[in-house]
Short mmCIF file of all heavy atoms in Angstrom, two decimals:
data_model
loop_
_atom_site.label_atom_id
_atom_site.label_comp_id
_atom_site.label_asym_id
_atom_site.label_seq_id
_atom_site.Cartn_x
_atom_site.Cartn_y
_atom_site.Cartn_z
N SER M 27 -6.88 37.30 -19.67
CA SER M 27 -5.81 36.80 -20.53
C SER M 27 -6.03 35.33 -20.82
O SER M 27 -6.48 34.56 -20.00
CB SER M 27 -4.45 36.99 -19.85
OG SER M 27 -3.46 36.28 -20.54
N SER M 28 -5.64 34.93 -22.03
CA SER M 28 -5.75 33.52 -22.39
C SER M 28 -4.55 32.74 -21.92
O SER M 28 -4.51 31.53 -22.02
CB SER M 28 -5.87 33.39 -23.92
OG SER M 28 -4.71 33.91 -24.54
N SER M 29 -3.52 33.44 -21.42
CA SER M 29 -2.27 32.78 -21.10
C SER M 29 -1.96 32.73 -19.62
O SER M 29 -1.30 31.82 -19.15
CB SER M 29 -1.11 33.50 -21.81
OG SER M 29 -1.32 33.54 -23.19
N VAL M 30 -2.39 33.71 -18.86
CA VAL M 30 -1.95 33.84 -17.47
C VAL M 30 -3.12 33.66 -16.52
O VAL M 30 -4.13 34.33 -16.64
CB VAL M 30 -1.30 35.20 -17.23
CG1 VAL M 30 -0.84 35.33 -15.80
CG2 VAL M 30 -0.12 35.40 -18.18
N GLY M 31 -2.98 32.74 -15.58
CA GLY M 31 -3.93 32.63 -14.50
C GLY M 31 -5.24 31.98 -14.87
O GLY M 31 -6.14 31.88 -14.04
N LYS M 32 -5.40 31.48 -16.08
CA LYS M 32 -6.69 30.96 -16.47
C LYS M 32 -6.99 29.61 -15.85
O LYS M 32 -8.14 29.19 -15.80
CB LYS M 32 -6.77 30.85 -18.00
CG LYS M 32 -5.79 29.84 -18.60
CD LYS M 32 -5.88 29.80 -20.11
CE LYS M 32 -4.88 28.82 -20.71
NZ LYS M 32 -4.97 28.79 -22.18
N GLU M 33 -5.95 28.92 -15.36
CA GLU M 33 -6.16 27.60 -14.80
C GLU M 33 -6.07 27.58 -13.28
O GLU M 33 -5.95 26.53 -12.66
CB GLU M 33 -5.14 26.62 -15.40
CG GLU M 33 -5.29 26.46 -16.90
CD GLU M 33 -4.27 25.49 -17.46
OE1 GLU M 33 -3.39 25.05 -16.69
OE2 GLU M 33 -4.36 25.15 -18.65
N ASN M 34 -6.08 28.75 -12.65
CA ASN M 34 -6.00 28.80 -11.19
C ASN M 34 -7.15 28.03 -10.57
O ASN M 34 -8.30 28.15 -10.99
CB ASN M 34 -6.06 30.25 -10.71
CG ASN M 34 -4.73 30.94 -10.90
OD1 ASN M 34 -3.81 30.37 -11.47
ND2 ASN M 34 -4.64 32.17 -10.44
N GLU M 35 -6.86 27.24 -9.57
CA GLU M 35 -7.86 26.48 -8.87
C GLU M 35 -8.34 27.24 -7.65
O GLU M 35 -7.62 28.06 -7.09
CB GLU M 35 -7.27 25.12 -8.45
CG GLU M 35 -6.89 24.23 -9.64
CD GLU M 35 -6.29 22.93 -9.19
OE1 GLU M 35 -6.01 22.79 -7.98
OE2 GLU M 35 -6.12 22.03 -10.03
N PRO M 36 -9.57 26.97 -7.19
CA PRO M 36 -10.07 27.65 -6.00
C PRO M 36 -9.13 27.43 -4.82
O PRO M 36 -8.60 26.34 -4.61
CB PRO M 36 -11.42 26.96 -5.77
CG PRO M 36 -11.82 26.46 -7.12
CD PRO M 36 -10.55 26.06 -7.80
N GLY M 37 -8.89 28.49 -4.07
CA GLY M 37 -8.05 28.38 -2.89
C GLY M 37 -6.59 28.69 -3.14
O GLY M 37 -5.83 28.86 -2.22
N GLN M 38 -6.21 28.77 -4.43
CA GLN M 38 -4.82 29.10 -4.73
C GLN M 38 -4.63 30.61 -4.75
O GLN M 38 -5.55 31.37 -5.04
CB GLN M 38 -4.42 28.51 -6.08
CG GLN M 38 -4.26 26.99 -6.04
CD GLN M 38 -3.71 26.46 -7.34
OE1 GLN M 38 -4.08 26.92 -8.40
NE2 GLN M 38 -2.82 25.49 -7.25
N THR M 39 -3.43 31.06 -4.44
CA THR M 39 -3.14 32.48 -4.36
C THR M 39 -2.49 32.95 -5.64
O THR M 39 -1.55 32.34 -6.13
CB THR M 39 -2.19 32.75 -3.18
OG1 THR M 39 -2.78 32.27 -1.99
CG2 THR M 39 -1.93 34.24 -3.04
N ASN M 40 -3.00 34.03 -6.20
CA ASN M 40 -2.36 34.65 -7.35
C ASN M 40 -1.07 35.30 -6.87
O ASN M 40 -1.08 36.19 -6.04
CB ASN M 40 -3.30 35.70 -7.93
CG ASN M 40 -2.73 36.32 -9.20
OD1 ASN M 40 -1.54 36.61 -9.29
ND2 ASN M 40 -3.59 36.53 -10.18
N LEU M 41 0.05 34.85 -7.44
CA LEU M 41 1.35 35.30 -6.93
C LEU M 41 1.56 36.80 -7.09
O LEU M 41 2.31 37.41 -6.35
CB LEU M 41 2.48 34.55 -7.62
CG LEU M 41 2.70 33.11 -7.13
CD1 LEU M 41 3.94 32.54 -7.78
CD2 LEU M 41 2.84 33.08 -5.62
N PHE M 42 0.88 37.43 -8.05
CA PHE M 42 1.06 38.86 -8.21
C PHE M 42 0.52 39.62 -7.02
O PHE M 42 0.87 40.77 -6.80
CB PHE M 42 0.38 39.35 -9.49
CG PHE M 42 1.23 39.12 -10.69
CD1 PHE M 42 0.83 38.23 -11.66
CD2 PHE M 42 2.45 39.76 -10.84
CE1 PHE M 42 1.63 38.00 -12.77
CE2 PHE M 42 3.24 39.53 -11.94
CZ PHE M 42 2.83 38.65 -12.91
N GLY M 43 -0.33 38.97 -6.21
CA GLY M 43 -0.85 39.63 -5.03
C GLY M 43 0.16 39.66 -3.89
O GLY M 43 0.00 40.43 -2.94
N ILE M 44 1.21 38.83 -3.95
CA ILE M 44 2.14 38.76 -2.82
C ILE M 44 3.58 39.07 -3.21
O ILE M 44 4.40 39.31 -2.34
CB ILE M 44 2.11 37.35 -2.17
CG1 ILE M 44 2.61 36.28 -3.17
CG2 ILE M 44 0.73 37.03 -1.67
CD1 ILE M 44 2.80 34.92 -2.53
N TRP M 45 3.89 39.12 -4.51
CA TRP M 45 5.28 39.24 -4.92
C TRP M 45 5.93 40.53 -4.43
O TRP M 45 7.11 40.56 -4.16
CB TRP M 45 5.38 39.15 -6.44
CG TRP M 45 5.41 37.73 -6.91
CD1 TRP M 45 5.14 36.63 -6.17
CD2 TRP M 45 5.72 37.28 -8.21
NE1 TRP M 45 5.27 35.51 -6.94
CE2 TRP M 45 5.62 35.87 -8.20
CE3 TRP M 45 6.07 37.91 -9.39
CZ2 TRP M 45 5.86 35.10 -9.32
CZ3 TRP M 45 6.31 37.13 -10.52
CH2 TRP M 45 6.20 35.75 -10.48
N ASN M 46 5.18 41.60 -4.37
CA ASN M 46 5.78 42.86 -3.93
C ASN M 46 6.34 42.78 -2.52
O ASN M 46 7.17 43.57 -2.12
CB ASN M 46 4.74 43.98 -3.96
CG ASN M 46 4.81 44.76 -5.27
OD1 ASN M 46 5.77 44.64 -6.02
ND2 ASN M 46 3.80 45.55 -5.53
N PHE M 47 5.88 41.80 -1.76
CA PHE M 47 6.25 41.75 -0.35
C PHE M 47 7.39 40.78 -0.05
O PHE M 47 7.91 40.77 1.05
CB PHE M 47 5.01 41.36 0.47
CG PHE M 47 3.84 42.26 0.23
CD1 PHE M 47 2.80 41.86 -0.58
CD2 PHE M 47 3.80 43.53 0.78
CE1 PHE M 47 1.73 42.70 -0.83
CE2 PHE M 47 2.73 44.37 0.54
CZ PHE M 47 1.69 43.96 -0.27
N ASP M 48 7.76 39.95 -0.99
CA ASP M 48 8.79 38.96 -0.71
C ASP M 48 9.58 38.65 -1.97
O ASP M 48 9.31 37.68 -2.67
CB ASP M 48 8.16 37.68 -0.16
CG ASP M 48 9.20 36.75 0.45
OD1 ASP M 48 10.40 36.96 0.21
OD2 ASP M 48 8.81 35.82 1.17
N GLY M 49 10.58 39.48 -2.25
CA GLY M 49 11.38 39.29 -3.43
C GLY M 49 12.15 37.99 -3.44
O GLY M 49 12.30 37.35 -4.46
N GLU M 50 12.64 37.60 -2.29
CA GLU M 50 13.39 36.34 -2.21
C GLU M 50 12.50 35.16 -2.61
O GLU M 50 12.95 34.22 -3.25
CB GLU M 50 13.91 36.14 -0.79
CG GLU M 50 14.99 37.15 -0.38
CD GLU M 50 16.32 36.92 -1.06
OE1 GLU M 50 16.48 35.87 -1.71
OE2 GLU M 50 17.21 37.78 -0.95
N ASP M 51 11.23 35.22 -2.23
CA ASP M 51 10.31 34.14 -2.57
C ASP M 51 10.06 34.09 -4.08
O ASP M 51 9.96 33.02 -4.67
CB ASP M 51 8.98 34.33 -1.83
CG ASP M 51 8.06 33.14 -1.99
OD1 ASP M 51 8.50 32.02 -1.71
OD2 ASP M 51 6.90 33.34 -2.40
N VAL M 52 9.99 35.26 -4.70
CA VAL M 52 9.82 35.30 -6.15
C VAL M 52 11.00 34.62 -6.83
O VAL M 52 10.83 33.77 -7.70
CB VAL M 52 9.73 36.77 -6.65
CG1 VAL M 52 9.64 36.79 -8.17
CG2 VAL M 52 8.54 37.45 -6.03
N TYR M 53 12.19 35.02 -6.43
CA TYR M 53 13.39 34.45 -7.04
C TYR M 53 13.40 32.93 -6.87
O TYR M 53 13.66 32.18 -7.82
CB TYR M 53 14.64 35.06 -6.41
CG TYR M 53 15.91 34.63 -7.10
CD1 TYR M 53 16.39 35.34 -8.20
CD2 TYR M 53 16.62 33.51 -6.67
CE1 TYR M 53 17.55 34.94 -8.85
CE2 TYR M 53 17.77 33.10 -7.32
CZ TYR M 53 18.24 33.83 -8.40
OH TYR M 53 19.36 33.42 -9.05
N LYS M 54 13.08 32.47 -5.68
CA LYS M 54 13.08 31.04 -5.40
C LYS M 54 12.07 30.30 -6.27
O LYS M 54 12.38 29.24 -6.83
CB LYS M 54 12.76 30.81 -3.92
CG LYS M 54 12.74 29.34 -3.51
CD LYS M 54 12.41 29.20 -2.03
CE LYS M 54 12.33 27.73 -1.63
NZ LYS M 54 11.97 27.58 -0.20
N LYS M 55 10.88 30.86 -6.42
CA LYS M 55 9.84 30.19 -7.20
C LYS M 55 10.19 30.13 -8.69
O LYS M 55 9.92 29.13 -9.36
CB LYS M 55 8.49 30.88 -7.00
CG LYS M 55 7.80 30.51 -5.69
CD LYS M 55 6.45 31.17 -5.57
CE LYS M 55 5.63 30.55 -4.42
NZ LYS M 55 6.30 30.61 -3.13
N ILE M 56 10.81 31.19 -9.21
CA ILE M 56 11.22 31.18 -10.61
C ILE M 56 12.31 30.14 -10.84
O ILE M 56 12.28 29.38 -11.81
CB ILE M 56 11.71 32.58 -11.04
CG1 ILE M 56 10.55 33.57 -11.07
CG2 ILE M 56 12.39 32.51 -12.40
CD1 ILE M 56 9.51 33.31 -12.14
N VAL M 57 13.28 30.09 -9.93
CA VAL M 57 14.37 29.13 -10.06
C VAL M 57 13.83 27.70 -9.97
O VAL M 57 14.22 26.82 -10.75
CB VAL M 57 15.45 29.38 -8.98
CG1 VAL M 57 16.46 28.24 -8.95
CG2 VAL M 57 16.16 30.71 -9.25
N GLU M 58 12.92 27.46 -9.05
CA GLU M 58 12.33 26.13 -8.91
C GLU M 58 11.52 25.75 -10.16
O GLU M 58 11.59 24.62 -10.64
CB GLU M 58 11.44 26.07 -7.67
CG GLU M 58 12.21 26.10 -6.36
CD GLU M 58 11.28 26.14 -5.15
OE1 GLU M 58 10.05 26.33 -5.35
OE2 GLU M 58 11.78 25.99 -4.02
N ALA M 59 10.74 26.69 -10.66
CA ALA M 59 9.88 26.41 -11.82
C ALA M 59 10.69 26.09 -13.07
O ALA M 59 10.24 25.32 -13.93
CB ALA M 59 8.95 27.59 -12.09
N THR M 60 11.88 26.67 -13.18
CA THR M 60 12.72 26.43 -14.36
C THR M 60 13.83 25.41 -14.07
O THR M 60 14.68 25.19 -14.93
CB THR M 60 13.37 27.74 -14.83
OG1 THR M 60 14.15 28.29 -13.78
CG2 THR M 60 12.30 28.75 -15.26
N GLU M 61 13.79 24.81 -12.88
CA GLU M 61 14.83 23.86 -12.45
C GLU M 61 16.21 24.49 -12.64
O GLU M 61 17.09 23.94 -13.30
CB GLU M 61 14.72 22.55 -13.21
CG GLU M 61 13.42 21.79 -12.93
CD GLU M 61 13.34 20.49 -13.68
OE1 GLU M 61 12.98 20.53 -14.88
OE2 GLU M 61 13.62 19.44 -13.07
N ASN M 62 16.34 25.69 -12.04
CA ASN M 62 17.58 26.46 -12.10
C ASN M 62 17.96 26.75 -13.55
O ASN M 62 19.11 26.62 -13.96
CB ASN M 62 18.73 25.75 -11.38
CG ASN M 62 19.85 26.70 -11.06
OD1 ASN M 62 19.68 27.92 -11.01
ND2 ASN M 62 21.05 26.15 -10.88
N PHE M 63 16.96 27.17 -14.33
CA PHE M 63 17.14 27.55 -15.72
C PHE M 63 17.75 26.41 -16.55
O PHE M 63 18.72 26.59 -17.29
CB PHE M 63 17.97 28.84 -15.82
CG PHE M 63 17.33 30.01 -15.14
CD1 PHE M 63 17.74 30.41 -13.87
CD2 PHE M 63 16.28 30.69 -15.74
CE1 PHE M 63 17.12 31.48 -13.23
CE2 PHE M 63 15.66 31.75 -15.10
CZ PHE M 63 16.07 32.16 -13.85
N SER M 64 17.12 25.26 -16.40
CA SER M 64 17.53 24.08 -17.15
C SER M 64 17.18 24.22 -18.63
O SER M 64 16.18 24.85 -18.99
CB SER M 64 16.84 22.84 -16.59
OG SER M 64 16.93 21.74 -17.47
N ASP M 65 17.98 23.61 -19.49
CA ASP M 65 17.73 23.65 -20.93
C ASP M 65 16.38 23.05 -21.29
O ASP M 65 15.79 23.40 -22.32
CB ASP M 65 18.83 22.89 -21.68
CG ASP M 65 20.16 23.64 -21.67
OD1 ASP M 65 20.17 24.84 -21.33
OD2 ASP M 65 21.19 23.01 -22.00
N THR M 66 15.88 22.16 -20.46
CA THR M 66 14.59 21.52 -20.76
C THR M 66 13.44 22.52 -20.71
O THR M 66 12.36 22.27 -21.27
CB THR M 66 14.29 20.38 -19.78
OG1 THR M 66 14.28 20.90 -18.44
CG2 THR M 66 15.35 19.29 -19.88
N HIS M 67 13.64 23.65 -20.05
CA HIS M 67 12.61 24.68 -19.96
C HIS M 67 12.88 25.86 -20.88
O HIS M 67 12.11 26.82 -20.89
CB HIS M 67 12.49 25.18 -18.51
CG HIS M 67 12.06 24.12 -17.55
ND1 HIS M 67 10.73 23.79 -17.34
CD2 HIS M 67 12.78 23.30 -16.74
CE1 HIS M 67 10.65 22.82 -16.45
NE2 HIS M 67 11.88 22.50 -16.06
N CYS M 68 13.97 25.80 -21.63
CA CYS M 68 14.34 26.90 -22.51
C CYS M 68 13.47 26.88 -23.76
O CYS M 68 13.33 25.84 -24.43
CB CYS M 68 15.82 26.80 -22.90
SG CYS M 68 16.41 28.20 -23.88
N ILE M 69 12.87 28.03 -24.10
CA ILE M 69 12.00 28.11 -25.27
C ILE M 69 12.54 29.09 -26.31
O ILE M 69 11.90 29.30 -27.35
CB ILE M 69 10.56 28.50 -24.87
CG1 ILE M 69 10.54 29.82 -24.11
CG2 ILE M 69 9.91 27.39 -24.07
CD1 ILE M 69 9.15 30.33 -23.78
N GLY M 70 13.70 29.67 -26.06
CA GLY M 70 14.28 30.59 -27.03
C GLY M 70 15.59 31.16 -26.56
O GLY M 70 15.81 31.32 -25.36
N ILE M 71 16.47 31.45 -27.52
CA ILE M 71 17.77 32.04 -27.20
C ILE M 71 17.97 33.26 -28.08
O ILE M 71 17.84 33.18 -29.31
CB ILE M 71 18.92 31.03 -27.43
CG1 ILE M 71 18.74 29.81 -26.54
CG2 ILE M 71 20.26 31.69 -27.16
CD1 ILE M 71 19.77 28.72 -26.78
N GLY M 72 18.24 34.41 -27.46
CA GLY M 72 18.47 35.64 -28.19
C GLY M 72 19.88 36.14 -28.02
O GLY M 72 20.73 35.47 -27.42
N GLY M 73 20.13 37.33 -28.55
CA GLY M 73 21.47 37.88 -28.51
C GLY M 73 21.95 38.24 -27.12
O GLY M 73 23.14 38.18 -26.84
#
């Protein structure tokens, strides 16, 4: 893919390899990455 995972650095873990095992961690990482769904990270609004 040209969009996902292309910039992974050596030694980093692909999150898709671990997400099935820790749902709480997934939720936490998404919230952190979007700063609790801040408007600054919003790229579109639908119905």
Side-chain angles (χ1 to χ4, degrees):
S27 169
S28 62
S29 303
V30 180
K32 65 182 178 180
E33 298 180 353
N34 282 5
E35 295 179 350
Q38 288 186 320
T39 302
N40 184 319
L41 283 186
F42 278 114
I44 64 172
W45 276 12
N46 265 346
F47 305 103
D48 193 346
E50 293 288 350
D51 188 53
V52 177
Y53 186 88
K54 180 180 178 182
K55 281 183 167 57
I56 292 292
V57 170
E58 289 176 350
T60 59
E61 296 181 279
N62 198 21
F63 299 101
S64 165
D65 288 346
T66 59
H67 297 276
C68 185
I69 56 175
I71 300 175

